[in-house]
Amino acid sequence: MKILHIINSLGCGGAESLLSDLCYIQKEQGFDISIATLKDENSIFKEKVKQLGVEYISLSSRLSIYNPIFIFKISKLIKQYDLIHVHLFPAQYWVAIAKFITRTKTPIITTEHSTSNRRRELKIFKYIDKSVYGLYNKIICCSDKAYETFRLHFPSIKSAISIPNGINLKRFKNANTQDKQKLFNLPNTSCVITMVARFQSPKRQDTLIESLKYLPENYCVVFAGNKLDDPNVVTITGLIKELNLNHRVRLLGVRNDIPDILKTSDIIVLASDYEGLSLSSIEGMSIGKPFIATDVNGLHEVVSGAGILYEKDNTSQLAANILKLMHDTTYYKKISEQCAIRASQYDIHNMANAYLSVYKEFL
């Protein structure tokens, strides 16, 4: 069976990471897998899928992903496959419209990778989104909370289901602790607090940076995410300079050694305004270190009862949680163990098998 995944790009991001891991398992399941991107972007995920033998199709190297011309590019593709699986906006729009125009019977499925988005804040998009989602044969929400918020926003759409995201747990359990001086250019006596996330909404790297004013000088922050010349990274760099924290913050850019980075850190933090089912949160909890996150949709459900939650934007509370962990070894160990147990529930093989059941409905 020929499956085509369509996504905006294979740049840095949770959905992109998830898709690269999913392709490996789906090839093992016997599917002929291809990936088409609206934007061609060199990344570790692009190289990974190509090494797996996945056909990589770039629909453009120059066009904006919001250019409607993609409707016609996709229209030429979709009839060649048995099923189309779409990830992220605006790819979701272009595929749905292409199916409507071509009248193809090829089933289209999409994954909702978040509990919210900016379109839902605008009344006009509620009706546009409703029409677009109505063209999909199945809408897979990445968590129970994402399903709940989707159904609340689109009660008349009955094709939505919940399949929790997952990660390659083995890859993180096999991570190795490195030398902090070599890996981060920080003293080995430093307390390293790490956040792995894109530098864009709804992530809030600024919250973690600002929490440093409540922490001792040997407490340092490490970020892994976008390329260092990304405009959003430049904005954060300006904040670091403004607060005179260059000696306490490290920007690592896009990395392929995230498991080792997490393992070498003392505490993992995710300071987002909202999430879907955050892969970064599961990765952070799986590594055997304490995990702290904002108490918001998409994080509360995964972290509550395992890691530590703090009030969004409350930098002093975040800092207090960090200090408590570092000053109480028993508490540190307890939270670490709880996080590892919780993460074990989110194996990507469970997600892939659930996707397989959905595919079989249409194949």
Side-chain angles (χ1 to χ4, degrees), residues 39 49 59 83 96 99 101 125 147 153 214 225 328 359:
K39 178 182 178 182
V49 297
L59 297 178
L83 184 142
K99 177 173 181 174
I101 290 174
F125 274 106
Y147 172 77
H153 209 70
Y214 302 104
D328 188 336
Y359 290 0

Side-chain angles (χ1 to χ4, degrees), residues 80-271:
Q80 303 173 29
Y81 295 86
D82 299 303
L83 184 142
I84 311 295
H85 192 152
V86 192
H87 309 261
L88 303 179
F89 170 86
Q92 291 169 324
Y93 269 41
W94 304 148
V95 172
I97 297 170
K99 177 173 181 174
F100 178 78
I101 290 174
T102 59
R103 301 295 181 180
T104 178
K105 293 183 179 180
T106 303
I108 59 173
I109 292 169
T110 188
T111 295
E112 279 289 289
H113 287 278
S114 185
T115 55
S116 185
N117 58 60
R118 284 175 288 184
R119 300 192 312 281
R120 293 185 189 178
E121 299 171 5
L122 302 172
K123 191 173 182 179
I124 187 173
F125 274 106
K126 181 174 182 178
Y127 302 102
I128 298 173
D129 276 5
K130 180 181 176 181
S131 299
V132 169
Y133 286 124
L135 294 169
Y136 278 90
N137 299 89
K138 192 73 74 175
I139 298 149
I140 300 172
C141 301
C142 67
S143 68
D144 291 342
K145 191 63 180 182
Y147 172 77
E148 179 186 324
T149 58
F150 183 89
R151 294 284 291 128
L152 186 66
H153 209 70
F154 306 106
S156 63
I157 296 179
K158 308 300 182 184
S159 56
I161 62 170
S162 173
I163 297 178
N165 280 352
I167 66 166
N168 183 345
L169 288 169
K170 184 177 179 181
R171 178 172 173 242
F172 288 85
K173 287 181 178 179
N174 292 339
N176 297 307
T177 302
Q178 306 292 328
D179 183 273
K180 289 180 182 177
Q181 181 66 53
K182 292 180 179 179
L183 191 60
F184 304 134
N185 191 26
L186 290 170
N188 283 307
T189 53
S190 300
C191 170
V192 175
I193 308 150
T194 295
M195 178 170 169
V196 179
R198 303 187 314 273
F199 280 73
Q200 63 188 66
S201 176
K203 318 302 180 183
R204 292 291 305 279
Q205 284 85 356
D206 59 308
T207 303
L208 183 51
I209 292 169
E210 290 170 1
S211 73
L212 284 175
K213 64 186 177 183
Y214 302 104
L215 296 169
E217 279 290 311
N218 66 317
Y219 283 62
C220 302
V221 168
V222 168
F223 292 114
N226 296 44
K227 296 177 181 178
L228 297 180
D229 60 353
D230 184 282
N232 294 305
V233 179
V234 174
T235 300
I236 290 295
T237 302
L239 176 63
I240 295 167
K241 290 180 179 178
E242 178 185 330
L243 298 177
N244 195 28
L245 292 172
N246 287 330
H247 61 299
R248 297 176 65 188
V249 181
R250 295 291 181 266
L251 303 177
L252 304 185
V254 179
R255 300 288 290 257
N256 60 6
D257 58 346
I258 295 298
D260 288 353
I261 289 172
L262 294 175
K263 191 73 172 181
T264 307
S265 305
D266 296 287
I267 295 172
I268 317 302
V269 171
L270 187 58

